[in-house]
Amino acid sequence: MPKNLLFQFDTDPDPSTFDTIVGHDGGADQVYPYGGVSPQTLGQLVEGCIFTRSPKEKQHTAIFVGGSQLAAGEALLAAIQQKFFASFRVSVMLDSNGSNTTAAAGVAFLARHGSLQGKRAVVLAGTGPVGQRAAAMLAGEGAEVSITSRQMARARAAADAIASRFGCTITAVEAFDNCARAQALQEAQLVFAAGAAGVNLLHEEDWRDNPSLQALTDANATPMLGIAGIDMTDRGVERHGKIVYGAIGFGALKLILHRSCIGRLFERNDLVLDAQEIYAIAKESVGEFT
Ligand code: NAP
């Protein structure tokens, strides 16, 4: 049988070592990391992937798109797909900065506690890759979603980008500091904290005494944690009467999901794994956790 070859196209100059390792762990026999890949430099890389193997063997070649910038990753995914035609295609997955797998794991755990339809959800610091995807997935579950940023212009730009990609409405909120972010949680039931590594977004008292909040998830595993008062290993435990998830607690599903998605890329040659597809797999996989 041909070897499973994963071509890792990263939009940053240095390809992510995390993505290389998970590529191997997910089932690739060999991972080829490329940095600084853009739609302009993509041509021969994709042609090499689609023209080399016979139709029956093409499923053993796949592409992974990563990098720190979600918009750049989305542009690369679109450019890759434009190169495909007829059966000259291979399966491809987008996960810039772990955006899809991290958001999918976090939201799938929240959805396990009951329908999110009509719930008010706030994605704190939701302008990054993980926050944007979490907002889209929460909206896909029927939640009314807001994203905060320290700057209104950034919140609006991210909300517009999510709306244009997923056709949902996201409310932009400016919240410069912890006090303003606590204010943004009035009347909210759900919080997904998606701030940069090591940045605290909420003090414990900012959420502890909020009567409307039902569940909180923090994606940041690097001290200072994004939400003080949540342990990074928390997985669906109750604190102050609310269900909470820490980054390592729900991150176990993120890793399982990332590996599972890589494995699926080699099952056929026409799979495209982006937000909706990865979220659907997360909802299947979350049942493995008690
Ligand atoms: P990111 O792009 O690095 O940052 C997200 C947002 O944080 C930024 O857009 C920025 O928003 C805000 N921010 C930056 N510095 C800040 C500061 N000093 N004060 C307040 N806000 C600040 O994050 P990401 O790549 O989307 O990742 C989100 C989180 O998920 C990170 O903590 C990352 O480490 C974590 N992560 C977890 C897992 C897991 O398995 N648990 C996997 C991958 C990533 P504004 O400038 O708009 O305010």
Side-chain angles (χ1 to χ4, degrees), residues 97 102 125 127-130 149-150 154 194-197 199 219-220 247 250-251 254:
N97 247 21
T102 307
T127 49
V130 173
S149 166
R150 290 166 296 172
R154 280 179 55 74
V199 173
N220 169 18
F250 82 82
K254 179 259 183 293

Side-chain angles (χ1 to χ4, degrees), residues 3 42 149 160 177 198 216 226:
K3 286 191 169 174
L42 188 71
S149 166
D160 290 348
D177 55 15
L216 301 92

Side-chain angles (χ1 to χ4, degrees), residues 2-190:
K3 286 191 169 174
N4 288 335
L5 305 182
L6 184 67
F7 288 83
Q8 178 192 345
F9 296 159
D10 202 302
T11 56
D12 291 348
D14 294 321
S16 156
T17 50
F18 183 100
D19 291 339
T20 307
I21 292 168
V22 183
H24 276 285
D25 293 348
D29 295 308
Q30 189 72 45
V31 183
Y32 298 95
Y34 290 76
V37 182
S38 72
Q40 291 71 39
T41 61
L42 188 71
Q44 289 188 338
L45 294 174
V46 177
E47 284 162 14
C49 290
I50 63 177
F51 286 127
T52 37
R53 289 172 153 176
S54 71
K56 279 190 181 162
E57 293 178 334
K58 276 197 207 309
Q59 72 188 67
H60 299 289
T61 303
I63 295 174
F64 177 92
V65 176
S68 61
Q69 303 303 314
L70 181 57
E74 288 177 324
L76 203 58
L77 175 64
I80 290 166
Q81 290 179 280
Q82 276 170 15
K83 286 274 172 195
F84 294 164
F85 63 97
S87 63
F88 292 90
R89 59 186 67 241
V90 297
S91 289
V92 53
M93 170 178 177
L94 170 67
D95 202 25
S96 300
N97 247 21
S99 52
N100 282 323
T101 50
T102 307
V107 176
F109 270 119
L110 286 176
R112 210 160 67 142
H113 298 281
S115 169
L116 305 185
Q117 184 75 39
K119 295 215 167 155
R120 291 194 181 169
V122 180
V123 182
L124 296 172
T127 49
V130 173
Q132 288 190 46
R133 284 308 201 236
M137 290 167 192
L138 287 162
E141 287 283 4
E144 292 175 28
V145 184
S146 306
I147 58 170
T148 74
S149 166
R150 290 166 296 172
Q151 293 172 31
M152 192 54 164
R154 280 179 55 74
R156 282 211 183 102
D160 290 348
I162 301 164
S164 107
R165 167 67 180 78
F166 296 98
C168 54
T169 302
I170 305 290
T171 304
V173 176
E174 182 175 271
F176 180 73
D177 55 15
N178 288 24
C179 183
R181 284 184 281 271
Q183 258 322 104
L185 304 186
Q186 300 303 316
E187 312 296 325
Q189 284 85 50
L190 308 171

Side-chain angles (χ1 to χ4, degrees), residues 196-249:
V199 173
N200 173 253
L201 301 172
L202 284 182
H203 303 302
E204 189 165 359
E205 58 270 27
D206 293 334
W207 60 274
R208 181 189 60 201
D209 304 324
N210 181 323
S212 66
L213 287 180
Q214 297 170 356
L216 301 92
T217 296
D218 181 13
N220 169 18
T222 309
M224 304 276 289
L225 298 183
I227 303 180
I230 293 182
D231 191 283
M232 69 170 85
T233 60
D234 283 348
R235 185 189 300 142
V237 303
E238 200 175 307
R239 291 188 187 270
H240 307 308
K242 299 144 194 355
I243 304 289
V244 300
Y245 287 89
I248 302 298

